[in-house]
Amino acid sequence: MSDPAKPSAPRWRRWMLEALVVIAIFVAVRAWQTRDLPSGPAPALDARDLAGTPVSLEDLERPVIVHFMASWCGVCRAEEPNVAAIARDHDVIAIATTSGSPDEVRAWIESETELGATRIVADPRGTLAQRWGVRALPTSFYVDREGDIRHVEVGYTTELGMRARVWLAGF
């Protein structure tokens, strides 16, 4: 039986322990989500955007975000304002994977999204997503000027988080 006069462990210790458990879970989930994703030199990205312009990672003048998303992905839709805000200041190539033909993707972009300033590539069969090892959406790769992947994020990312990663990829 415990002694009622004996004080229990300070509350801050319990909070610290709980915070450490949450951080450990977060780190473990993130490590699992990004396992087997490419690092180092970015995979080839030879495609055409919805305007028919060739899209490639060769001869980059500044860092670029290669952002995989889908029309049917709820988290992707929640993240759209962040991607649109970043696209006003930085290069973003959005890959609409398994979202239909280029015409279907174009109709979706024009009617239902905020991604007007973003270069969009339709990936109807998910070929580019497979080449890049994408298994969950959204997935964003932050590629530096040399074509090397500097950061990868799977899932929702805030605008501030995206800006920080683009800034870090610039070094």
Side-chain angles (χ1 to χ4, degrees):
M1 207 182 223
S2 66
D3 182 4
K6 184 178 178 185
S8 62
R11 226 181 247 173
W12 68 268
R13 283 188 188 166
R14 182 174 175 212
W15 289 344
M16 287 297 290
L17 180 60
E18 289 174 355
L20 288 173
V21 168
V22 168
I23 290 168
I25 290 170
F26 176 79
V27 168
V29 167
R30 186 179 185 292
W32 182 79
Q33 287 179 322
T34 58
R35 75 191 186 290
D36 302 328
L37 286 175
S39 60
L45 181 61
D46 298 320
R48 292 194 176 274
D49 64 16
L50 294 179
T53 307
V55 176
S56 175
L57 294 180
E58 294 181 17
D59 303 322
L60 291 174
E61 294 179 14
R62 60 187 193 160
V64 64
I65 300 172
V66 179
H67 178 71
F68 287 86
M69 59 169 196
S71 60
W72 45 265
C73 170
V75 177
C76 301
R77 287 181 183 243
E79 190 179 50
E80 279 175 17
N82 304 341
V83 175
I86 294 296
R88 287 191 283 273
D89 304 326
H90 301 283
D91 292 336
V92 176
I93 301 168
I95 314 290
T97 190
T98 62
S99 296
S101 69
D103 289 337
E104 291 169 320
V105 170
R106 186 178 296 104
W108 166 61
I109 294 296
E110 290 172 357
S111 67
E112 299 181 37
T113 73
E114 301 177 29
L115 298 174
T118 309
R119 292 186 75 185
I120 309 288
V121 173
D123 184 23
R125 293 188 183 105
T127 307
L128 289 171
Q130 282 182 331
R131 184 181 307 153
W132 284 65
V134 173
R135 292 182 307 275
L137 297 171
T139 297
S140 298
F141 295 87
Y142 298 82
V143 181
D144 66 16
R145 287 185 291 267
E146 288 77 37
D148 291 328
I149 296 170
R150 296 290 300 268
H151 306 281
V152 179
E153 286 301 321
V154 177
Y156 183 88
T157 306
T158 65
E159 179 184 345
L160 181 60
M162 289 179 169
R163 288 190 185 282
R165 286 170 184 87
V166 169
W167 181 75
L168 288 170
F171 286 106

